[in-house]
Amino acid sequence: MKFGLSQPVARKEDVRFLNGTGIYVDDHAPDGAAHAFFLRSPIAHARIASIDAEAARSAPGVVGVLTGADLGARIDNSLDCMVVKNRDGSDGAIPRRPSIAEDKVCFVGEAVAVVFADTLEQARDAAELIEVDYEELPAATTTAGAESEPEIHADVAPKNVAFDWADGDEAAMKAAFDKAAHVVELPLINNRVITVSMEPRGCFAQWDGERMHFEYNGQGVWGLKNVISGKLKLKPEQVRVTTADVGGGFGMKNFPYPEHLAVAEGARAFNRPIRWISERTEAMLTDNMGRDHVTVGRAAFDENHKLLAIHFQVTAGMGAYNSGFAQNIPSTLARYVLPSVYDVQTYFFECKGVYTNTAPVDAYRGAGRPEAVYQMDRLMDWAGRELGVDPVELRRKNFIKVGQMPYTSAVGEIYDVGDFDRVLDRGLKESDWDGFAARKAQSEARGKLRGQGLCYYIESILGAPNENAKVEFAEDGMVNLYVGTMSNGQGHETVFAQFLHERAGIPFDKIRMIQGDSDLIPKGGGTGGSRSVTTQGNAINATADEMIRKFRPLAEEELEAAAADINFDGGEFRVAGTDKAVALMELAETARKKGMVELLTHEEEAVLPGRSFPNGCHVAEVEVDPETGETKVVKYTVVDDFGRLMNPILAEGQVHGGVVQGIGQAITEQVVYDGDGQLLTATFMDYAIPRAGDTPWIPFHHEGVPSTANDIGMKGCGEAGTVGALAAVTNAALDALQPAGVHHVDMPLTPRRVWNWLETAKQAAE
């Protein structure tokens, strides 16, 4: 099939994106909507002694003003979150997080009031009239030192500790380390980053006296529908949540934010549609950030360099409050792939979350898996260097082998399939691993240090295993495909149409995807954790199969043949051995004419029987200028096992985007707060995202082993690029710098840091 699965079908949605007709949340707010402007704290930690908003309320064009006290008198002015269990069985801490601060602020950018006015300029001017008396408090700003820094939440004990979680067998781990022939240890920093999606967060709300219509640019509508109905004390049927096109999410747009509740209640309180779109610096101050871990990893080996046990101790920054999944990301979600692709059954994983007076941290592309793979692969690479063993061969020696599949990992996850040796061999070949020495010599001739690094990663799709799909034959001749996931730019309109075309033979150009509307789609899991295509494809197939079954009696009638004599293939019911056939689209039109409306809509929910585990090999080469410390990725190769590829073009695009985000974190990106909690990287002048000139072309190769965990045979690919890139780039940098006497590196590899490491090594050698 030209437009079927595994075909490189061009993205159908790109037509409107490229000609400027995409519709984003700020493009179609209701006519006459007032603008919201949030007054935000300029101080990281302070009590609010008083707040006077009366002058703002009477300013020109102002529709209304809400402070924390105002909002708290009207709704449940707080955001909820998930928590993990502490190692003693108690729940992690849940300090109250108001959507607008009431008596205290805990990070720069926290909202203290919101102004609604006819124009944004009027709202901004009015906000300047609000007088807030802050009683400044000392701030806690470092993840590593949070427990000894000033207390943030009086109801959290021990001080500033969000949770203290552990998993695995500590006694067995200690016994394995005691008998080990070799033990290696590596401290690591996983730097805090900002998502900086192309489209900043935004929303609008409209209240008609009975129902709330709320639109935002997020990753799913049903969770927010439940939050708004619950916090505003509305019945679920009184709330409709929609999402239009979304300019990037990467996990950051997957949660309720304080602005959502304030805008929704503002629309109801003042009986006026309200719109809000974040400014870029506002977004950098208030969007949920990512990563921020301080880790110590240890590995125990026997005399033959076989892994006996692993032990990780992680301190994870939460920011000032828990965000939606924040406690789970460095702990329970990282745990899924903690042992990576290695045959080791003894482990102990300790993770402590801590609060600081900084913006909250939550999911960022990979949500726990990049963090876990980074620490494990950096540890394996370092172990090879410490033990005098080729790091590539050390990995290979400890791989789980094909004959061990399906393999139950130490953490209880079932790897259904995988051929890690084969993928590694392809990665070494495609990267011309053996030709590195010649390239290194060429770099040295130009005064540059060149390094080569590898990462072998594995990741797991996350999120709910169930998903819904609905197929509707529309009166205009199109077929509406309703999905429970939410595209943030991944190409869902294309690949989901491929699924339906492949399974039911419906013409590709007749399929119209509908997403992001809680009135039209009863439930769905949204997008996150690389789940979308696997779960949604499974649901589309189930719906198509049921649709074909229900149309069969009508086909028998139209073809005047018995069911046993009729086959379905390529979108047609055909009488075996004859040229008598009728297309599914024709039958739908017949059903419409006969009033058989039950055949015009089909809906099914499907559940994946198990998780799939994408894996692959990333090889990076970097050049370091020893005079300036500049580190540049000059060669990058990817070989992935995504099982059966649904669309090679889309998969390659996902890998490219993920790798570039990984390169950004590894080399240029770092959130910096000063000792008072002021964000010093709040503009693109200060926060360096990678540009086209910072990355080489990234060849993508596929060495697929079809998954047995779903009947499609696929594995998720949305976050794999980032999962593998962090360690590949950093390992390459260490390889470049180690001959110059640098024996430890951390992300980000900024020029100043690399230059300092080189200078320190030079002075130590003198």
Side-chain angles (χ1 to χ4, degrees):
M1 282 186 170
K2 179 180 179 182
F3 297 104
L5 295 179
S6 301
Q7 299 303 308
V9 179
R11 289 166 41 121
K12 59 164 58 180
E13 51 267 73
D14 283 351
V15 174
R16 71 173 187 277
F17 292 152
L18 293 173
N19 68 21
T21 57
I23 299 296
Y24 297 87
V25 67
D26 204 39
D27 292 331
H28 67 139
D31 291 339
H35 292 259
F37 181 84
F38 287 86
L39 179 65
R40 300 186 180 279
S41 172
I43 300 171
H45 196 198
R47 294 187 184 91
I48 300 176
S50 65
I51 181 167
D52 184 353
E54 291 311 306
R57 289 189 169 99
S58 59
V62 170
V63 173
V65 177
L66 291 174
T67 64
D70 297 329
L71 200 59
R74 302 184 62 88
I75 68 170
D76 179 352
N77 178 31
S78 66
L79 293 179
D80 300 325
C81 63
M82 298 176 64
V83 297
V84 300
K85 292 288 185 182
N86 294 316
R87 62 175 80 200
D88 64 5
S90 61
D91 286 336
I94 314 180
R96 185 171 183 273
R97 182 185 183 183
S99 51
I100 294 183
E102 295 168 342
D103 55 5
K104 189 179 181 183
V105 292
C106 292
F107 68 97
V108 171
E110 185 168 5
V112 296
V114 58
V115 179
F116 308 110
D118 292 335
T119 69
L120 181 58
E121 292 73 17
Q122 288 172 328
R124 184 182 287 110
D125 289 345
E128 293 182 0
L129 301 177
I130 299 175
E131 296 182 2
V132 185
D133 183 9
Y134 295 102
E135 295 178 355
E136 191 165 356
L137 299 168
T141 58
T142 64
T143 296
E147 291 179 79
S148 60
E149 292 190 348
E151 180 181 79
I152 300 172
H153 303 291
D155 57 346
V156 169
K159 182 178 66 174
N160 295 342
V161 174
F163 63 90
D164 186 4
W165 174 93
D167 188 67
D169 190 329
E170 185 175 17
M173 178 273 294
K174 289 181 177 178
F177 272 83
D178 287 343
K179 73 175 185 180
H182 308 284
V183 172
V184 295
E185 181 174 305
L186 182 66
L188 294 169
I189 303 293
N190 203 311
N191 44 315
R192 181 185 277 227
V193 293
I194 306 176
T195 301
V196 291
S197 55
M198 284 194 295
E199 180 198 22
R201 291 187 297 113
C203 61
F204 69 73
Q206 190 168 18
W207 173 253
D208 66 6
E210 294 293 332
R211 292 194 86 211
M212 174 74 67
H213 176 204
F214 188 90
E215 179 158 307
Y216 83 123
N217 49 2
Q219 296 178 221
V221 296
W222 297 272
L224 190 56
K225 174 186 170 79
N226 293 335
V227 169
I228 290 175
S229 61
K231 297 297 182 180
L232 272 64
K233 299 179 174 60
L234 296 170
K235 296 176 181 178
E237 58 269 24
Q238 288 183 277
V239 178
R240 176 193 182 200
V241 177
T242 58
T243 298
D245 290 325
V246 179
F250 310 112
M252 179 270 290
K253 292 179 181 172
N254 207 12
F255 327 98
Y257 277 87
E259 295 86 1
H260 298 154
L261 296 184
V263 168
E265 181 54 28
R268 182 171 67 168
F270 303 109
N271 197 28
R272 177 85 174 267
I274 304 292
R275 65 191 298 174
W276 172 73
I277 191 76
S278 174
E279 298 176 354
R280 180 58 68 184
T281 289
E282 184 179 22
M284 297 176 93
L285 284 167
T286 63
D287 288 352
N288 290 333
M289 298 181 181
R291 319 301 190 216
D292 194 7
H293 297 176
V294 178
T295 300
V296 175
R298 298 195 302 147
F301 296 87
D302 69 13
E303 63 278 4
N304 296 314
H305 303 131
K306 285 285 289 180
L307 262 176
L308 298 175
I310 53 176
H311 177 211
F312 290 101
Q313 295 171 295
V314 176
T315 301
M318 297 287 101
Y321 302 100
N322 302 325
S323 180
F325 304 135
Q327 291 195 12
N328 295 88
I329 290 184
S331 55
T332 60
L333 299 190
R335 172 188 177 276
Y336 284 126
V337 296
L338 181 75
S340 190
V341 292
Y342 303 111
D343 183 16
V344 57
Q345 288 292 313
T346 302
Y347 79 102
F348 190 57
F349 180 20
E350 304 173 78
C351 183
K352 182 180 291 186
V354 295
Y355 297 117
T356 56
N357 291 114
T358 60
V361 173
D362 211 307
Y364 173 60
R365 200 165 189 168
R369 289 100 80 212
E371 296 90 328
V373 167
Y374 178 73
Q375 61 197 33
M376 187 67 204
D377 198 83
R378 286 291 316 277
L379 182 60
M380 288 296 287
D381 199 81
W382 178 246
R385 296 174 187 278
E386 284 285 276
L387 300 177
V389 180
D390 180 349
V392 175
E393 293 310 312
L394 182 65
R395 291 178 176 90
R396 193 190 297 276
K397 175 176 284 192
N398 287 284
F399 274 167
I400 302 161
K401 302 303 181 184
V402 173
Q404 295 176 270
M405 299 291 179
Y407 179 88
T408 302
S409 76
V411 301
E413 292 298 296
I414 299 174
Y415 298 172
D416 58 326
V417 292
D419 191 341
F420 309 140
D421 280 296
R422 188 176 96 192
V423 175
L424 176 61
D425 287 341
R426 180 82 183 274
L428 298 176
K429 175 187 174 184
E430 297 293 349
S431 67
D432 187 22
W433 184 270
D434 291 337
F436 172 72
R439 296 189 293 277
K440 181 181 178 71
Q442 292 171 357
S443 295
E444 289 176 346
R446 293 184 287 106
K448 303 292 180 66
L449 306 174
R450 192 174 185 119
Q452 183 180 47
L454 179 148
C455 172
Y456 202 104
Y457 79 90
I458 193 166
E459 72 144 329
S460 166
I461 65 168
L462 301 178
N466 57 304
E467 196 50 83
N468 286 68
K470 182 169 77 172
V471 176
E472 173 186 74
F473 292 89
E475 292 187 4
D476 63 359
M478 298 292 287
V479 176
N480 294 330
L481 173 59
Y482 297 85
V483 298
T485 51
M486 183 67 226
S487 176
N488 306 148
Q490 298 95 327
H492 290 180
E493 291 175 51
T494 301
V495 72
F496 293 160
Q498 288 181 261
F499 271 96
L500 189 55
H501 174 67
E502 169 102 359
R503 199 76 158 200
I506 294 173
F508 182 78
D509 61 354
K510 294 293 184 182
I511 299 170
R512 176 170 53 207
M513 190 187 81
I514 297 173
Q515 62 176 353
D517 190 329
S518 64
D519 275 8
L520 299 178
I521 307 159
K523 61 180 177 178
T527 289
S530 297
R531 72 180 293 274
S532 295
V533 176
T534 309
T535 55
Q536 192 68 69
N538 197 45
I540 292 169
N541 283 350
T543 305
D545 291 346
E546 182 64 9
M547 176 173 63
I548 293 165
R549 186 188 70 79
K550 288 182 176 178
F551 265 109
R552 188 171 287 277
L554 182 58
E556 295 170 24
E557 180 182 323
E558 292 296 303
L559 294 171
E560 298 179 334
D565 297 327
I566 296 176
N567 299 321
F568 182 85
D569 184 53
E572 292 183 328
F573 289 95
R574 180 177 294 276
V575 179
T578 76
D579 61 356
K580 292 181 64 177
V582 60
L584 185 62
M585 294 291 282
E586 294 176 51
L587 285 177
E589 199 53 38
T590 300
R592 187 183 305 280
K593 291 175 181 177
K594 290 186 174 184
M596 302 171 70
V597 294
E598 70 279 4
L599 290 181
L600 301 180
T601 302
H602 306 268
E603 183 174 2
E604 289 295 319
E605 179 177 355
V607 181
L608 285 178
R611 270 194 286 272
S612 61
F613 292 87
N615 62 91
C617 175
H618 287 219
V619 179
E621 291 186 24
V622 304
E623 275 190 343
V624 178
D625 183 342
E627 298 300 317
T628 65
E630 181 186 25
T631 301
K632 193 173 182 65
V633 179
V634 293
K635 193 172 188 294
Y636 203 100
T637 307
V638 177
V639 177
D640 283 316
D641 169 13
F642 293 149
R644 182 187 177 194
L645 282 185
M646 298 299 97
N647 184 318
I649 293 176
L650 298 186
E652 185 171 10
Q654 288 292 294
V655 170
H656 284 173
V659 168
V660 172
Q661 284 183 279
I663 290 173
Q665 181 178 354
I667 295 182
T668 62
E669 297 184 48
Q670 183 176 31
V671 174
V672 179
Y673 284 93
D674 70 11
D676 295 324
Q678 294 294 327
L679 180 63
L680 303 182
T681 50
T683 74
F684 286 138
M685 293 293 289
D686 313 298
Y687 187 81
I689 61 172
R691 302 184 180 189
D694 297 322
T695 61
W697 176 246
I698 304 167
F700 166 71
H701 308 278
H702 190 243
E703 194 72 30
V705 181
S707 175
T708 61
N710 59 81
D711 66 0
I712 308 165
M714 70 167 293
K715 305 170 183 177
C717 67
E719 294 157 309
T722 306
V723 176
L726 303 179
V729 173
T730 315
N731 286 337
L734 180 58
D735 187 61
L737 296 171
Q738 198 162 25
V742 177
H743 299 291
H744 181 72
V745 298
D746 268 319
M747 301 184 295
L749 303 159
T750 59
R752 180 176 179 179
R753 301 183 84 205
V754 172
W755 186 85
N756 280 336
W757 293 331
L758 286 167
E759 286 298 301
T760 300
K762 186 187 300 182
Q763 292 170 12
E766 291 175 352

